[in-house]
Amino acid sequence: MFESFRKPFRIAIAFVGLAACGTGAVSAQTIPEGVTAYQVSAAFDDVRFDLENAIVNHGLVIDYVSHIGDMLDRTSQDVGGQKQIFVKAQAMLFCSANLSRKVMEADAANIAYCPYSVFVYETPDQPGTVTVGYRHLGETGSEESKAAIGEVNALLDAIAKEAAGQ
């Protein structure tokens, strides 16, 4: 019943222009150059669900969910881990038949970008703050290739924003 009211009341902070200006710091976090990320104050599971829905709402199918946080926790002792990195962290991989064809028709080497990936995570030093984002794909090659990759970047941004309630 209250699901429809949850999203409008989120406090969301967008990292505007991070992909263009390099890195940006938020508390103890640094967003890498070439990554666009949005933060939202909400429960991880809610934002993760919103991310899944955002992908599906764009007519896409999630091919794989990478449970990055679980893997790091599971292997921590084996590799000499010193701290908990994430409370929870996942990446979702998917393709768009339409955009992927357009990107690869422009340049077959653009296969390197497929599948597309968006991530969601919460860190122990910022409980209740969830980060959603994606790696910006390099708009290189011919004008046709640049334009097609630009469409993919726009799609990834729309998905991340929707999940973060932006």
Side-chain angles (χ1 to χ4, degrees):
M1 174 175 159
F2 295 104
E3 181 66 21
S4 62
F5 296 105
R6 180 175 46 82
K7 201 175 234 182
F9 293 107
R10 287 190 178 151
I11 301 168
I13 304 162
F15 294 118
V16 179
L18 286 178
C21 69
T23 60
V26 176
S27 297
Q29 290 183 18
T30 301
I31 301 300
E33 183 175 345
V35 172
T36 299
Y38 302 94
Q39 281 190 327
V40 60
S41 294
F44 175 89
D45 290 335
D46 290 342
V47 179
R48 187 242 179 258
F49 183 73
D50 290 343
L51 179 57
E52 183 176 345
N53 282 335
I55 293 167
V56 171
N57 289 344
H58 282 85
L60 305 167
V61 175
I62 298 168
D63 295 321
Y64 181 74
V65 177
S66 179
H67 299 271
I68 300 164
D70 292 344
M71 179 275 299
L72 290 172
D73 284 345
R74 186 178 61 252
T75 61
S76 181
Q77 284 186 325
D78 297 336
V79 299
Q82 300 297 308
K83 65 177 187 172
Q84 179 185 7
I85 302 167
F86 300 108
V87 175
K88 291 185 180 180
Q90 294 183 1
M92 296 182 190
L93 285 69
F94 57 92
C95 272
S96 162
N98 182 37
L99 287 178
S100 294
R101 173 158 294 281
K102 195 182 279 190
V103 166
M104 289 176 232
E105 281 184 357
D107 186 340
N110 286 336
I111 192 172
Y113 293 132
C114 201
Y116 311 122
S117 176
V118 289
F119 60 81
V120 57
Y121 67 84
E122 179 181 3
T123 61
D125 60 326
Q126 290 186 299
T129 299
V130 180
T131 303
V132 181
Y134 63 97
R135 183 179 20 201
H136 186 82
L137 305 182
E139 296 175 22
T140 60
S142 68
E143 290 306 313
E144 181 184 11
S145 180
K146 289 177 186 177
I149 294 169
E151 288 183 54
V152 175
N153 282 326
L155 172 67
L156 294 172
D157 196 55
I159 289 169
K161 281 181 176 176
E162 183 177 331
Q166 300 288 310

